[in-house]
């Protein structure tokens, strides 16, 4: 396996308004000879918890709850050290200033004088809210310190981050016409700036339905905690791109053994459904200041209907593949607690929560 050398000249910005370009070159990332290869051992935990996904936020372990839960709780909160129950966070609802209809958390949190806060996007309500976890648990109610609204036409229905130097940075899933034209979108002073590019698909037979690949080009977007870089992990291409906070691509990891381009006829069948032979690669990600942990499938749609093991690929923020970890379980979400040395995951069927001891792996990563 080698890194595809990707040369990019000039600025990578597709803009609705002109934006500055530093012209900094893309790093030619080479594979490091010592990629860590390990097998993970699963431990099922919180067996009474039928949660969708676990998230580590400082001393807290948040478990996102199913929308059908009777008491309408968004997150259950546990002590990440001893897994004791601490309380709940958020209330589901279509109305009211403090309810969430379609809450999604993408890993952005703030630590402030011993308090921990998270940004939670609520796409159906077109707003992203800053929730103070610590105060919420102390006061027995959800404490929202700030809200930022976004318009329906912005199509910020996916990953979304509040960035000090920009405004809003996110990924558009392509529900609105003219959106998802690039993997990374920055909303600066009311104007969109688009960064990066999707691979070209040839012989498009139905341009009106294709909409420049708006519904096919699916990615997982992550932001480094210090807001300096963004990772774009592609769903249907074995490719991960890294951008800085002004939109310049600084690295691109492409697995040449698996990376391929598509003809339109290889994506959709006659009824405009995705072909069962189409592959899923990067499914989820969790980032720390030093590393990008990605959930990687390399499985077709047909294969994904059945049980299959998973892989965790670990990159640094310069695009180097540092580790490949074999996971025995079919999982769909991940979170990492570097301090305590655990990787957490939710099962693909959303019926079990797992954690994996990665202390020795983290020790190896930090030593190199």
């Amino acid at each position: 396996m080698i890194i595809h050398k990707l040369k990019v000249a000039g600025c990578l910005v597709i803009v609705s308004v002109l934006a500055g370009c530093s012209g900094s070159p893309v790093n030619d990332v080479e594979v490091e000879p010592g990629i860590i290869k390990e097998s993970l051992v699963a431990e099922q935990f919180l067996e009474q918890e039928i949660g969708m996904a676990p998230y580590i936020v400082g001393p807290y372990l948040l478990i996102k709850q199913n929308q059908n839960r009777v008491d309408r709780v968004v997150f259950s909160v546990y002590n990440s050290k001893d897994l004791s129950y601490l309380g709940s966070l958020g209330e589901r609802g279509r109305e009211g200033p403090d309810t969430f209809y379609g809450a999604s958390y993408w890993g952005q949190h703030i630590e402030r004088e011993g308090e921990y806060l998270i940004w939670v996007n609520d796409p159906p309500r077109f707003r992203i809210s800053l929730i103070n976890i610590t105060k919420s648990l102390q006061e027995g109610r959800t404490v929202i310190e700030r809200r930022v609204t976004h318009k329906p036409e912005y199509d910020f229905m996916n990953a979304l981050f509040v960035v000090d130097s920009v405004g809003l940075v996110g990924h558009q899933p392509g529900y609105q016409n003219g959106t998802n034209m690039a993997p990374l979108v920055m909303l600066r002073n009311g104007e969109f700036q688009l960064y990066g590019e999707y691979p070209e698909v040839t012989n498009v037979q139905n341009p009106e339905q294709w909409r420049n690949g708006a519904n096919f080009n699916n990615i997982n977007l992550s932001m480094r905690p210090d807001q300096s870089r963004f990772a774009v992990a592609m769903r249907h291409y074995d490719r991960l791109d890294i951008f800085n906070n002004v939109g310049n691509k600084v690295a691109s990891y492409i697995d040449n053994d698996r990376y391929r381009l598509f003809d339109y006829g290889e994506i959709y069948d006659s009824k405009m459904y995705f072909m069962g032979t189409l592959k899923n690669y990067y499914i989820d990600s969790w980032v720390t200041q030093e590393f990008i942990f990605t959930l990687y499938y390399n499985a077709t749609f047909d294969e994904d209907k059945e049980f299959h093991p998973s892989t965790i690929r670990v990159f640094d923020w310069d695009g180097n593949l540092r580790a490949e970890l074999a996971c025995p379980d079919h999982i769909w979400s991940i979170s990492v607690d570097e301090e305590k040395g655990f990787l957490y995951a939710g099962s693909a069927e959303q019926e079990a929560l797992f954690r994996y001891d990665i202390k020795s792996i983290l020790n190896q990563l930090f030593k190199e």
Side-chain angles (χ1 to χ4, degrees):
M1 184 188 301
I2 62 173
I3 298 289
H4 181 76
K5 293 181 181 290
L6 186 63
K7 298 285 188 180
V8 179
C11 187
L12 291 168
V13 185
I14 311 167
V15 294
S16 54
V17 293
L18 293 177
C21 175
S22 69
S24 59
V26 173
N27 291 350
D28 289 335
V29 182
E30 299 290 351
V31 166
E32 297 185 23
I35 297 174
I36 299 168
K37 302 275 189 175
E38 297 281 355
S39 295
L40 301 176
V41 177
E43 171 196 357
Q44 188 174 349
F45 72 104
L46 295 180
E47 295 185 18
Q48 80 285 358
E49 182 70 72
I50 309 299
M52 298 175 63
Y55 304 109
I56 284 290
V57 183
Y60 305 114
L61 173 63
L62 276 59
I63 310 295
K64 186 177 179 181
Q65 299 298 300
N66 190 286
Q67 291 188 358
N68 297 325
R69 182 164 162 163
V70 176
D71 59 7
R72 302 189 298 175
V73 166
V74 178
F75 299 101
S76 294
V77 186
Y78 293 84
N79 184 316
S80 63
K81 184 176 181 179
D82 59 13
L83 299 182
S84 59
Y85 179 73
L86 299 177
S88 62
L89 194 67
E91 178 186 1
R92 293 192 184 276
R94 295 173 179 265
E95 300 178 357
D98 297 334
T99 59
F100 298 84
Y101 184 49
S104 61
Y105 175 58
W106 297 93
Q108 184 180 8
H109 78 272
I110 299 170
E111 181 181 357
R112 186 186 65 198
E113 298 179 349
E115 297 179 346
Y116 290 83
L117 303 87
I118 56 172
W119 282 104
V120 176
N121 191 23
D122 191 358
R125 305 290 295 274
F126 306 109
R127 66 190 184 196
I128 184 169
S129 303
L130 183 63
I131 301 176
N132 189 317
I133 302 174
T134 307
K135 283 188 176 179
S136 296
L137 295 174
Q138 291 172 347
E139 299 182 16
R141 65 182 184 89
T142 302
V143 177
I144 299 174
E145 293 199 357
R146 183 184 171 195
R147 295 183 183 87
V148 178
T149 58
H150 47 90
K151 299 178 182 179
E153 58 267 29
Y154 291 170
D155 198 28
F156 280 146
M157 307 292 283
N158 209 321
L160 186 64
F161 305 98
V162 178
V163 181
D164 298 336
S165 61
V166 177
L168 294 176
V169 176
H171 170 64
Q172 302 165 318
Y175 298 148
Q176 300 289 333
N177 287 330
T179 63
N180 198 15
M181 296 295 101
L184 180 62
V185 177
M186 297 186 183
L187 182 64
R188 195 191 305 263
N189 297 323
E191 299 286 350
F192 279 122
Q193 299 172 359
L194 313 183
Y195 300 89
E197 73 290 325
Y198 291 117
E200 182 180 1
V201 172
T202 56
N203 298 318
V204 174
Q205 301 298 315
N206 192 331
E208 185 175 344
Q209 285 190 298
W210 175 241
R211 292 171 53 219
N212 202 34
N215 295 323
F216 170 69
N217 291 318
N218 193 344
I219 68 152
N220 190 274
L221 178 65
S222 302
M223 181 178 70
R224 196 176 189 177
D226 66 1
Q227 303 186 0
S228 65
R229 292 194 174 187
F230 298 90
V232 171
M234 297 193 175
R235 184 70 171 259
H236 302 307
Y237 299 93
D238 200 318
R239 171 172 159 181
L240 182 140
D241 295 336
I242 298 176
F243 298 83
N244 62 20
N245 58 6
V246 293
N248 294 317
K249 188 185 292 184
V250 297
S252 186
Y253 180 93
I254 295 178
D255 186 334
N256 278 339
D257 293 336
R258 297 171 178 170
Y259 184 78
R260 54 160 301 184
L261 301 178
F262 290 99
D263 183 272
Y264 184 79
E266 298 174 296
I267 297 174
Y268 294 110
D269 62 19
S270 59
K271 296 181 180 179
M272 290 302 293
Y273 293 118
F274 284 140
M275 301 281 279
T277 53
L278 187 66
K279 278 196 170 184
N280 291 316
Y281 292 100
Y282 293 100
I283 304 301
D284 193 27
S285 61
W286 186 267
V287 301
T288 66
Q289 188 60 27
E290 301 297 332
F291 302 111
I292 306 164
F293 294 82
T294 64
L295 174 56
Y296 177 82
Y297 275 5
N298 185 32
T300 67
F301 273 61
D302 286 341
E303 291 169 340
D304 200 32
K305 294 175 183 177
E306 306 295 334
F307 173 87
H308 63 78
S310 311
T311 299
I312 306 298
R313 279 183 168 180
V314 186
F315 298 87
D316 62 29
W317 283 98
D318 292 320
N320 298 300
L321 178 62
R322 301 290 299 278
E324 279 197 336
L325 312 177
C327 175
D329 304 297
H330 188 188
I331 58 178
W332 79 287
S333 65
I334 59 173
S335 182
V336 176
D337 187 341
E338 279 187 341
E339 181 180 342
K340 297 178 182 64
F342 286 102
L343 184 146
Y344 293 86
S347 70
E349 298 299 324
Q350 301 177 16
E351 87 290 1
L353 299 170
F354 301 108
R355 70 176 182 179
Y356 310 86
D357 190 327
I358 59 169
K359 296 182 187 68
S360 64
I361 296 166
L362 290 170
N363 287 337
Q364 293 179 69
L365 287 169
F366 280 106
K367 282 180 180 178
E368 293 181 3

